[in-house]
Structure formats: C-alpha cells, structure tokens
C-alpha cells in the first residue's frame, strides 16, 4: 500500500528512527514499534489486510475526527496511535467513507499524525 504523509514532520516521525524516538521522549521500543507498523501498512496490498490484524486494533474515530481511522502504535495499553484516512489515486478522500465497502480496494492512505490518545 502506498503511504502519503500530511506533512514533512509526520513523514520524518514515520521514516526516521531518531525523529520517532524524539516523538516518544526517547522510548526506542515505541519508535521501533511505530516503524514496524508503518512497514506492515506498506507491505499490505489493501487496507483490508490491516483491518483484519487484531493486534493493530484498527478503529474508526469519533467526534471532530469522525472521517479518520487509527491503529495502535504498540498495543491497547499504550496511548499512542497512527491516525490516517484512505484516499483515491487522484488524492481525493472517500466520501462518504464506508470502510466496509471500500476496504478491499483502498491502496493508498494518508497519515495525518502520530499522537497520544486523548491529548
């Protein structure tokens, strides 16, 4: 799957171990886990494969981020998650985004941020 990034800061966090460690306050385990998740997303041919991996805890967000999805960086016990949304080849968002209907065709996601849940 192709990954696009909302900005250069997010791209650096997801592609540079040093930037990821800075994000996580020096926690190398979280940085390695983030990079493993990014690698798994890149290796999946479609988003459905990520949805079906229970350890990722793929979930739809609510409230002001209702059009976005998230996966855990490491586990449910950690507060960190990767927030993203599926996009079409032309860069447009799927709207409405009924993930159940499009999961087997989505080959591009854009990562909005890596953030601490509820912060």
């Amino acid at each position: 799957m192709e990954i696009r990034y909302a900005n250069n800061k997010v791209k650096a966090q997801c592609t540079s171990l040093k930037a990821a460690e800075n994000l996580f306050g020096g926690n190398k385990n979280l940085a390695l886990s983030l990079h493993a998740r990014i690698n798994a997303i890149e290796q999946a041919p479609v988003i459905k494969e990520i949805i079906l991996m229970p350890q990722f805890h793929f979930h739809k967000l609510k409230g002001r981020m209702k059009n976005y999805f998230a996966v855990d960086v490491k586990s449910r016990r950690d507060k960190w998650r990767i927030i993203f949304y599926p996009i079409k080849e032309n860069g447009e968002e799927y709207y409405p985004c009924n993930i159940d209907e499009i999961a087997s065709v989505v080959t591009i996601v854009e990562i909005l941020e890596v953030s601490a849940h509820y912060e």
Side-chain angles (χ1 to χ4, degrees):
M1 194 164 11
E2 179 184 339
I3 296 177
R4 297 180 185 171
Y5 299 94
N7 56 51
N8 288 333
K9 179 181 177 183
V10 174
K11 183 176 183 175
Q13 291 167 344
C14 295
T15 58
S16 162
L17 195 56
K18 184 175 180 177
E21 283 184 45
N22 287 339
L23 171 66
F24 299 125
N27 187 325
K28 190 169 187 166
N29 287 333
L30 278 174
L32 290 171
S33 184
L34 170 62
H35 286 240
R37 293 287 200 235
I38 296 299
N39 186 49
I41 292 169
E42 287 176 333
Q43 297 305 311
V46 292
I47 200 166
K48 186 172 186 173
E49 294 205 10
I50 300 302
I51 294 169
L52 295 175
M53 294 180 162
Q55 68 270 28
F56 280 47
H57 190 253
F58 178 92
H59 56 285
K60 185 171 178 57
L61 300 178
K62 298 176 183 175
R64 68 177 179 86
M65 300 190 91
K66 67 181 179 180
N67 294 323
Y68 299 99
F69 301 89
V71 294
D72 295 333
V73 168
K74 189 169 184 180
S75 71
R76 293 300 306 142
R77 288 174 279 165
D78 293 306
K79 63 183 179 177
W80 293 95
R81 61 189 181 176
I82 303 165
I83 299 173
F84 61 92
Y85 55 95
I87 56 177
K88 299 176 184 177
E89 292 276 332
N90 62 7
E92 291 180 12
E93 292 182 43
Y94 285 91
Y95 191 82
C97 186
N98 185 345
I99 199 67
D100 295 331
E101 293 177 7
I102 63 172
S104 60
V105 297
V106 172
T107 59
I108 306 170
V109 295
E110 181 164 318
I111 296 179
L112 181 66
E113 63 185 30
V114 178
S115 65
H117 190 48
Y118 297 122
E119 283 190 6

